[in-house]
């Protein structure tokens, strides 16, 4: 008999809850619980995200790999009941993250706590149930995934190169491969104890449940796993390298796959931690640049099949503008020059916009920022993204949209000239350049200003120089701790829960 099949599909009525953001039900040394009833879609379902925050998950290459193995083995052990759960429209998944492990549970609310209880039992039983055959199989699977990464597309290697330069604590594929080769089953058992002995749980419960039912779901995890309080000084943190102004950093790396004839460039223009107004400008520039970048760099100049622009975020709040080209016809040095030339033309295009063109683009960006959630899952994911980055700014998209409406061409050009123009004394740029075997002889070429159109000081970072580069660079400060007391849910008498 399947005890996870729901029979109660009644909808919970929760008075006074906002329709566009969650509220805190609990905030103590072990657990921070966010809750929002489904007062929008009115479905008998719940989505829950539980983040087991622990610095043990990523303190070394070994711990990073062990977290990966632990999550995969837990998923295997849960296969004993996930089929029955799926028949009852209940689902669970596990994600290894830089800051710990994330448990996702979703489906009909009536029996969701039964599934959570099964997961907790599987976590507790993992060391005793672990078998050598399973450990070896998961270890081999992980080794293949690391190896297969070397054969992925060059643009993925460019993203990897950017992460390696900006994140002072990220571990390389080579580090992980070395660590994996030496790990044993007893290492995983010891890691299991370290991971769960001290952690802080941050959780979102969103959907058709009462505050008491949401609290019960969190208690199932905390009471079942019985963690000790995480030391305040040992909470996982994510720092980001701060590039120096008026310096162009160039990170060159050979293509990992010698058979791939594609090269790639990823130019990353760092803005940093920016206020709502500059977020609005960046959102508008990101919208404005997409079509001309594709038309000019791909269609007209035919530089490469992949031309991509986007906002890139490192850490929780460090914003960057990314322009990426993957090409089998041109080397990254030439591509860098074409990107810089395009930025000059793009500035001119903005300055010549008519009022009608300007307003059309303003309206398009604000409509996108104010777009309503299409379903419960999309709404849950938006809330969880805000919780995960520690900002707790649930109204940020609306605030950014309000600022976009008020933007003028002159203000956007001022921001463009400061952060993206090669003439700026404030610009911060990293160019990640992946060289295929076809152009490998150029990887050691001296950077000449006229080739790239850059007049900044230039720092060349080869693959073997990345660790030393990060040691010598300053880091952005962590964002200020957000006071969430005002977000506590009020009961009917007006006091906090």
């Amino acid at each position: 008999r399947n005890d996870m099949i729901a029979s109660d599909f009644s909808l919970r009525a929760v008075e006074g809850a906002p329709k566009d953001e969650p509220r805190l039900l609990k905030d103590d040394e072990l657990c921070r619980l966010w809750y929002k009833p489904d007062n929008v879609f009115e479905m008998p379902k719940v989505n829950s995200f539980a983040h087991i925050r622990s610095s043990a998950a990523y303190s070394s290459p070994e711990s990073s790999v062990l977290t990966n193995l632990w999550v995969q083995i837990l998923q295997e052990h849960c296969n004993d009941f996930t089929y029955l759960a799926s028949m009852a429209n209940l689902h669970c998944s596990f994600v290894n993250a830089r800051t710990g492990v994330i448990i996702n549970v979703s489906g009909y609310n009536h029996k969701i706590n039964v599934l959570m209880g099964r997961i907790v039992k599987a976590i507790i039983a993992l060391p005793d149930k672990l078998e050598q055959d399973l450990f070896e199989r998961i270890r081999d699977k992980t080794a293949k995934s690391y190896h297969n990464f070397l054969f992925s597309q060059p643009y993925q290697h460019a993203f990897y190169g950017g992460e390696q330069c900006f994140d002072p604590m990220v571990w390389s594929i080579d580090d992980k491969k070395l660590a994996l080769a030496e790990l044993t089953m007893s290492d995983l058992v010891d890691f299991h104890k370290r991971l769960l002995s001290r952690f802080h749980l941050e959780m979102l419960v969103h959907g058709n449940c009462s505050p008491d039912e949401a609290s019960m779901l969190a208690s199932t995890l905390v009471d079942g796993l019985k963690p000790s309080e995480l030391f305040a000084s040992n909470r996982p943190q994510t720092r980001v390298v701060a590039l120096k102004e008026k310096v162009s950093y160039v990170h060159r790396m050979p293509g990992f796959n010698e058979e791939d004839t594609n090269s790639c460039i990823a130019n990353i223009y760092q803005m940093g931690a920016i206020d709502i107004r500059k977020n609005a400008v960046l959102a508008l520039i990101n919208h404005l640049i997409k079509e001309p970048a594709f038309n000019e760099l791909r269609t007209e100049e035919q530089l490469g099949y992949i031309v991509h622009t986007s906002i890139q975020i490192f850490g929780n709040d460090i914003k960057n503008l990314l322009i990426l080209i993957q090409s089998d016809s041109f080397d990254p040095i030439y591509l860098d020059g074409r990107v810089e030339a395009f930025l000059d033309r793009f500035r001119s295009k903005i300055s010549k916009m008519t009022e009608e063109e300007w307003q059309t683009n303003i309206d398009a960006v604000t409509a996108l920022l104010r777009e309503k959630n299409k379903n419960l899952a999309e709404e849950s994911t938006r809330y969880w993204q805000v919780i995960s980055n520690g900002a707790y700014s649930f109204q940020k998209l609306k605030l950014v949209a309000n600022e976009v409406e008020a933007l003028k061409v002159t203000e956007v050009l001022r921001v463009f000239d400061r952060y993206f123009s090669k003439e700026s004394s404030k610009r911060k740029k990293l160019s990640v350049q992946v060289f295929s075997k076809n152009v490998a002889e150029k990887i050691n070429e001296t950077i000449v200003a006229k080739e790239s159109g850059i007049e900044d000081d230039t720092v060349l970072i080869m693959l073997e120089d990345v660790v030393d580069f990060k040691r010598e660079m300053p880091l952005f400060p962590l964002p200020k701790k957000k006071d969430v007391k005002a977000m506590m849910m009020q009961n009917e008498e007006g006091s906090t829960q």
Side-chain angles (χ1 to χ4, degrees), residues 18 20-24 34-37 204-205 383 387 394 487:
D20 56 358
E21 63 181 26
R23 285 286 183 260
L24 264 180
W34 297 91
Y35 162 74
K36 183 184 179 296
L204 168 67
V205 180
Y383 297 146
I387 292 168
F394 297 104
M487 298 182 182

Side-chain angles (χ1 to χ4, degrees), residues 223-241:
D223 296 344
L225 298 178
K226 297 180 174 60
S228 296
E229 180 181 352
L230 190 63
F231 297 121
S233 59
N234 205 30
R235 294 201 174 193
Q237 300 174 341
T238 304
R239 304 296 297 272
V240 180
V241 166

Side-chain angles (χ1 to χ4, degrees), residues 323-338:
I323 302 177
L324 179 146
I325 304 173
Q326 182 170 297
S327 173
D328 64 353
S329 303
F330 300 98
D331 65 81
I333 299 172
Y334 178 79
L335 295 174
D336 187 24
R338 299 318 303 153

Side-chain angles (χ1 to χ4, degrees), residues 12-14 25 35 37 109 205 207-216:
R12 309 292 191 264
V14 180
L25 280 185
Y35 162 74
N109 59 280
V205 180
N208 187 45
C209 65
S210 67
D212 287 343
E213 288 169 326
S215 297
M216 188 182 303

Side-chain angles (χ1 to χ4, degrees), residues 337-355:
R338 299 318 303 153
V339 169
E340 292 296 332
F342 163 74
L343 285 175
D344 284 343
R345 297 193 302 274
F346 176 63
R347 187 201 186 281
S348 177
K349 187 182 292 286
I350 294 176
S351 67
K352 295 176 181 177
M353 275 189 175
T354 65
E355 287 189 16

Side-chain angles (χ1 to χ4, degrees), residues 187-204:
D187 292 325
L188 186 66
V189 172
D190 292 339
F191 170 76
H192 172 90
K193 297 174 183 176
R194 291 198 306 276
L195 178 69
L196 299 179
S197 62
R198 291 185 183 275
F199 67 78
H200 182 266
L201 179 70
E202 184 151 30
M203 191 168 180
L204 168 67

Side-chain angles (χ1 to χ4, degrees), residues 65-71 73-74 126-127 130 135 138 183-194:
V65 175
L66 284 165
T67 305
N68 190 351
L69 297 177
W70 187 89
V71 163
I73 289 170
L74 176 60
L126 189 147
L130 182 59
F135 176 81
I138 297 298
L183 292 176
T184 64
M185 196 166 78
S186 62
D187 292 325
L188 186 66
V189 172
D190 292 339
F191 170 76
H192 172 90
K193 297 174 183 176
R194 291 198 306 276

